[in-house]
Amino acid sequence: MTIKSFIKHFKLAVSGFEEDFTQISIKKAIFYLSIPMILEMAMESLFAVVDIFFVGKLGVNAVATVGLTESVLTIIYSIAMGLSMAATAIVARRIGEKKPKEASTSAFQAILVCSIFAIAIAVLGVWHAKTLLSLMGGEPEVIQSGYRYTQIVFGGNVFVMLLFLINGIFRGAGNAAVAMKALWIANGVNMVLDPILIFGLGPIPAMGLEGAAWATTTGRGVGVVFQFFVLFNGGSVIKFYWESLKLELATVWSILKIASGGMGQFLIESASWIFLMRIISDSGSVALAGYTIAVRIIIFALLPAWGLSNAAATLVGQNLGALQPGKAERSAWFSAKLAAGFLGLCSVVFIGGAGFFISIFNQQADVIDVGRMGLTIICLGYVFFGFGMVMSQSLNGAGDTKTPTIINLAVLWGFQIPFAYVLAKTLGLGANGVFTAIAVSHSLHAVVSTVVFRKGNWKLVNV
């Protein structure tokens, strides 16, 4: 592909043009889908590091508060991710079957279910913010100075959950460009407001850590408004038809059956991260801060690779709907190789400059030391991460959310947590033991997921 040709296809990919991805070549389909998805996740990655950059200026306790809060929120967002996964699978299958109105109906049911969950979570989170931070092992000064941040973030979780969910709907329909624009708008607003609300500007007072929470809530809210504007105004492959805006219990049940597996996957994974965070919290706020920064940098590269995984999920779902299982499988393998190659390059960069990257966010020597070791050790398994992400998402795209759930349970709970505890506590390796457990267990997860995908049972799943 020449530079001129690349630019031409790149513009098409981000423009949101309509295309039947089941009828074009795998390379073109992955390119057109993955470019906006990678850019979407790149913006999310950029926000993650920009946010922790500004919060890092407020001190170790502020960073620790963010880390503890996000650990709990990952469980909450497991619900959104599970529903998003179900919506992607069902919408992709209906689009592949050339049934756009049925896809629209399914999307609306998913939004209703997600909204109910989000409201319940908001009430619980606002009322029990201090308790949640305490259960996570937060020190008294961290809890007292940071609980309002936790309250605001939980109170606004409906915007985050809907942003995840509706973007999953757009991806399933093959309109990744709209999902990209929604997240760029949300995170763009977020990053502009972050320094203004945290440190103040003119008549706007400095809100500190609470300002970061309000920036996140406002940015995500603006993104959701954009999503609904597109859905109701027909600027996407999928759009709302007035006759589809009604409750259909059969469709809700179908979504919940698929989503339960997706929720289980992410709940298991999220809970494992919480256990790891709890192990590290025994080493104090410095260790928590170093861990939080290292993980943010890790996510910076993982999220673009996640874009490739989402592209694979969409292509698997649509090609199964179009009765092309062979093409679905080839799409997944090609995406996995690209993701592994990308993360392999990232690992070289991160390992080579680990101390430098951590120091960008915090100059405290002991925080840098913890974060540097974390970044170095975890990146040793980065290539495997790429394969594992794509294989799991491809199974999910086929509607087989049960199998990845079982794999997560066996590897992350059955192996990772006990292994981390033994290394950190029994052998006295502390945070480095946890980092080692993450690298080893996620590499094992990739191997198991790849073996299971190769068997091909996912081709027989009906949604």
Side-chain angles (χ1 to χ4, degrees), residues 303-335:
L303 285 177
W306 188 256
L308 278 167
S309 302
N310 287 333
T314 297
L315 288 175
V316 167
Q318 290 196 7
N319 280 302
L320 287 178
L323 303 179
Q324 300 181 133
K327 192 171 185 179
E329 183 171 9
R330 292 193 300 274
S331 299
W333 286 118
F334 188 72
S335 299

Side-chain angles (χ1 to χ4, degrees), residues 98-111:
K98 308 299 187 289
K99 297 177 180 177
K101 288 193 176 181
E102 286 83 346
S104 174
T105 299
S106 299
F108 182 69
Q109 310 311 307
I111 290 172

Side-chain angles (χ1 to χ4, degrees), residues 37-380:
M37 289 182 182
I38 288 172
L39 291 175
E40 174 192 353
M41 293 296 103
M43 173 56 84
E44 184 73 4
S45 296
L46 182 60
F47 161 70
V49 295
V50 169
D51 188 55
I52 205 67
F53 173 80
F54 288 121
V55 170
K57 305 297 183 184
L58 299 175
V60 168
N61 284 349
V63 177
T65 299
V66 172
L68 292 173
T69 302
E70 287 188 347
S71 292
V72 179
L73 281 172
T74 51
I75 287 185
I76 306 306
Y77 297 156
S78 297
I79 298 173
M81 294 301 289
L83 288 169
S84 176
M85 195 180 296
T88 296
I90 292 177
V91 168
R93 192 69 68 94
R94 297 294 89 84
I95 293 295
E97 294 168 349
K98 308 299 187 289
K99 297 177 180 177
K101 288 193 176 181
E102 286 83 346
S104 174
T105 299
S106 299
F108 182 69
Q109 310 311 307
I111 290 172
L112 283 179
V113 174
C114 183
S115 299
I116 293 171
F117 275 116
I119 292 170
I121 290 165
V123 173
L124 291 172
V126 170
W127 279 98
H128 299 288
K130 288 185 177 181
T131 302
L132 290 171
L133 291 174
S134 177
L135 288 173
M136 285 301 299
E139 297 173 351
E141 58 269 29
V142 170
I143 297 172
Q144 190 56 40
S145 64
Y147 78 93
R148 289 188 180 86
Y149 168 88
T150 305
Q151 286 181 321
I152 297 167
V153 172
F154 267 91
N157 87 92
V158 63
F159 298 120
V160 182
M161 292 183 71
L162 284 177
L163 191 67
F164 282 146
L165 173 71
I166 300 175
N167 269 1
I169 291 168
F170 285 132
R171 294 189 202 104
N175 204 327
V178 175
M180 174 194 73
K181 292 172 185 175
L183 204 59
W184 275 60
I185 290 171
N187 285 342
V189 171
N190 201 343
M191 287 189 288
V192 170
L193 290 180
D194 243 347
I196 294 174
L197 297 184
I198 291 174
F199 305 112
L201 180 67
I204 302 175
M207 301 182 192
L209 188 57
E210 293 173 41
W214 283 117
T216 296
T217 301
T218 303
R220 300 299 205 245
V222 172
V224 171
V225 169
F226 169 77
Q227 289 174 324
F228 276 111
F229 176 82
V230 174
L231 285 173
F232 279 104
N233 286 276
S236 167
V237 175
I238 188 167
K239 57 185 177 182
F240 279 157
Y241 302 87
W242 287 109
E243 60 266 31
S244 69
L245 303 184
K246 58 185 178 182
L247 179 64
E248 290 193 0
L249 293 178
T251 305
V252 168
W253 178 243
S254 179
I255 289 171
L256 287 175
K257 282 197 296 184
I258 298 176
S260 62
M263 290 179 196
Q265 279 176 58
F266 285 97
L267 280 170
I268 290 167
E269 185 169 359
S270 301
S272 72
W273 283 102
I274 285 182
F275 277 112
L276 297 179
M277 177 71 81
R278 188 65 184 84
I279 293 172
I280 288 180
S281 68
D282 288 340
S283 299
S285 296
V286 167
L288 275 175
Y291 170 84
T292 300
I293 293 171
V295 169
R296 282 294 184 99
I297 295 173
I298 290 293
I299 291 173
F300 180 77
L302 280 182
L303 285 177
W306 188 256
L308 278 167
S309 302
N310 287 333
T314 297
L315 288 175
V316 167
Q318 290 196 7
N319 280 302
L320 287 178
L323 303 179
Q324 300 181 133
K327 192 171 185 179
E329 183 171 9
R330 292 193 300 274
S331 299
W333 286 118
F334 188 72
S335 299
K337 292 174 183 176
L338 289 177
F342 170 72
L343 290 180
L345 290 174
C346 290
S347 66
V348 173
V349 175
F350 286 160
I351 292 173
F356 167 76
F357 288 117
I358 299 297
S359 67
I360 293 174
F361 305 96
N362 192 291
Q363 285 74 49
Q364 193 169 320
D366 44 4
V367 172
I368 293 174
D369 188 51
V370 172
R372 177 181 59 80
M373 289 302 299
L375 192 57
T376 300
I377 294 171
I378 294 175
C379 278
L380 292 176

